[in-house]
Amino acid sequence: MRNDQVLEFDADNTKPLEDKAERNIADSSNLFFRSTEYLNRFFAAIAGVALISMMLLIVFNSVKRLFSDPISGTVEIVSWLGAVTGVFALGYTQLNKGHIYIDMLINNFPPLIRKIIHTIMNVLSIAFFSIASWQLALFGINLRDGGVVSETIQFSFYPIVILCSLGFLGLVLALVKETILIWKGDS
């Protein structure tokens, strides 16, 4: 949330109320908006589970080292869980405006110019992350076809790579939603 946004609270729910326009969008029956929200919430839940799993594995491995040998492959597993955590949280973070947004210069422009600049940046981001998602999926398929496995535990990790490409796809959908909302006047 940016500093210029103001939250109002409902005394009964103690939940923040969004802008009237954002409430109308959230209540609308637009299938694309709802699907994007649900998909990115699901991905955020997976990211949370991956983060907790990573934490538990590290703690368990540290305690186990006191009494015996460490778990083999811990570094590989933690690296994969870290990738899943980071990539799957991107779309949800974008929808909730959690990414860093520097607007000192842009705030001085008229609203139409701000919309155009924001749209151009979103279109460039959509193009970049679409290509990243596509290339990551291709890389995962190449890993599968090549029979590549991890070095320590001999695990075929191509499904994790392909899943990470889906995380980028969630970000792309969030950026498309944001771009539509910019021109509807709701963002």
Side-chain angles (χ1 to χ4, degrees):
M1 179 179 354
R2 294 196 307 251
N3 292 336
D4 60 341
Q5 293 176 324
V6 177
L7 290 177
E8 299 173 11
F9 287 92
D10 181 3
D12 298 331
N13 280 336
T14 65
K15 289 183 179 178
L17 294 175
E18 297 121 354
D19 286 337
K20 181 179 174 185
E22 287 182 15
R23 253 183 289 156
N24 289 341
I25 295 299
D27 294 339
S28 74
S29 61
N30 189 326
L31 182 63
F32 174 73
F33 286 172
R34 286 187 298 154
S35 299
T36 300
E37 286 279 340
Y38 291 136
L39 178 70
N40 281 303
R41 282 186 191 160
F42 176 70
F43 284 167
I46 292 173
V49 169
L51 181 64
I52 290 170
S53 300
M54 187 171 36
M55 177 200 63
L56 291 174
L57 178 62
I58 290 170
V59 170
F60 181 72
N61 191 41
S62 298
V63 171
K64 188 176 182 296
R65 278 177 180 240
L66 296 174
F67 305 106
S68 66
D69 294 335
I71 301 169
S72 66
T74 300
V75 173
E76 291 174 351
I77 296 169
V78 168
S79 298
W80 298 328
L81 290 172
V84 168
T85 300
V87 172
F88 276 27
L90 288 172
Y92 182 80
T93 306
Q94 182 67 34
L95 287 175
N96 291 295
K97 299 188 186 311
H99 293 293
I100 295 172
Y101 181 72
I102 301 173
D103 55 0
M104 290 185 304
L105 178 65
I106 295 173
N107 280 340
N108 296 328
F109 294 144
L112 179 63
I113 301 297
R114 283 193 300 236
K115 281 184 176 183
I116 291 170
I117 291 172
H118 199 165
T119 300
I120 290 170
M121 295 309 297
N122 280 358
V123 168
L124 290 173
S125 296
I126 289 167
F128 175 79
F129 288 112
S130 295
I131 292 169
S133 177
W134 172 51
Q135 289 297 312
L136 204 52
L138 290 177
F139 180 62
I141 292 168
N142 286 339
L143 289 173
R144 182 198 63 196
D145 293 344
V148 177
V149 294
S150 67
E151 197 170 314
T152 305
I153 57 176
Q154 301 298 306
F155 175 74
S156 182
F157 59 94
Y158 73 89
I160 296 169
V161 175
I162 293 173
L163 284 175
C164 285
S165 75
L166 293 177
F168 280 127
L169 187 62
L171 175 60
V172 167
L173 294 174
L175 287 165
V176 169
K177 177 185 174 187
E178 181 179 299
T179 305
I180 292 169
L181 290 176
I182 288 170
W183 290 100
K184 279 187 159 188
D186 297 333
S187 179

